[in-house]
Amino acid sequence: MTLSVGDPAPEFTLPDQNGALVSLKDFRGKTVVLYFYPKDSTPGCTTEACGFRDLHEQFTAQNAVILGVSADAAKSHQKFIAKFNLPFLLLADTDYAIATAYDSYGKKKFMGKEYMGIMRHTYVIDPDGKIAKIYRNVKPADHPAQVLADICQT
């Protein structure tokens, strides 16, 4: 089943970069920007993460939290955060369960090869836990500013 705007966001609990468990319900009353990305410290993922970093204060001013999700382990997330001074949580979805629940795990193509992996999708979840906006297969450089602009309009 494909998720749509207005659907309840699938609940989850995942470890963050420090191994602490983080649940979607922890953020009720706030807008959640849940962004899925393929891999820590790769060019596109770094561009996207740094874009969210650079706009972090503006997201916070809109009562929004940013949560990045990839299949990387907590230790990899720690290095990524330290290297690029990322001020938000990165969650370790090592078994792809949450990416699957959010239609963000599937067949990808790179340099002529097909493989399974996390797709670059973002979900904006409203303060009541419903999906407010879905972005699929985003462009890393422009995406964070677009999400912020859309949140500011609501």
Side-chain angles (χ1 to χ4, degrees):
M1 184 181 111
T2 302
L3 294 173
S4 301
V5 169
D7 287 350
E11 287 293 336
F12 61 82
T13 300
L14 287 173
D16 70 8
Q17 66 273 7
N18 299 312
L21 293 179
V22 175
S23 297
L24 179 59
K25 66 179 182 278
D26 298 341
F27 302 102
R28 281 295 182 274
K30 291 183 178 280
T31 298
V32 175
V33 176
L34 185 68
Y35 85 96
F36 292 88
Y37 66 97
K39 190 152 183 55
D40 289 341
S41 297
T42 55
C45 297
T46 299
T47 297
E48 185 175 24
C50 290
F52 280 121
R53 174 200 66 201
D54 295 347
L55 297 171
H56 187 257
E57 284 184 24
Q58 290 161 272
F59 278 101
T60 302
Q62 295 295 319
N63 197 34
V65 296
I66 299 165
L67 301 174
V69 180
S70 80
D72 295 303
K75 193 171 225 79
S76 175
H77 285 339
Q78 284 178 341
K79 290 178 187 171
F80 192 34
I81 287 169
K83 185 173 183 178
F84 295 102
N85 197 27
L86 304 178
F88 47 84
L89 298 175
L90 296 179
L91 307 179
D93 186 17
T94 55
D95 63 0
Y96 305 103
I98 306 312
T100 300
Y102 279 86
D103 304 322
S104 298
Y105 178 75
K107 198 175 286 186
K108 297 172 68 170
K109 218 177 202 173
F110 183 69
M111 296 179 71
K113 292 188 177 179
E114 284 193 358
Y115 62 98
M116 296 296 286
I118 290 185
M119 294 175 265
R120 197 179 302 280
H121 294 170
T122 299
Y123 292 80
V124 175
I125 301 165
D126 73 17
D128 298 320
K130 293 203 181 313
I131 296 172
K133 187 99 173 150
I134 301 171
Y135 306 84
R136 300 195 191 282
N137 302 314
V138 301
K139 301 272 184 277
D142 306 327
H143 182 57
Q146 181 63 57
V147 174
L148 180 62
D150 290 345
I151 288 174
C152 288
Q153 289 175 359
T154 56

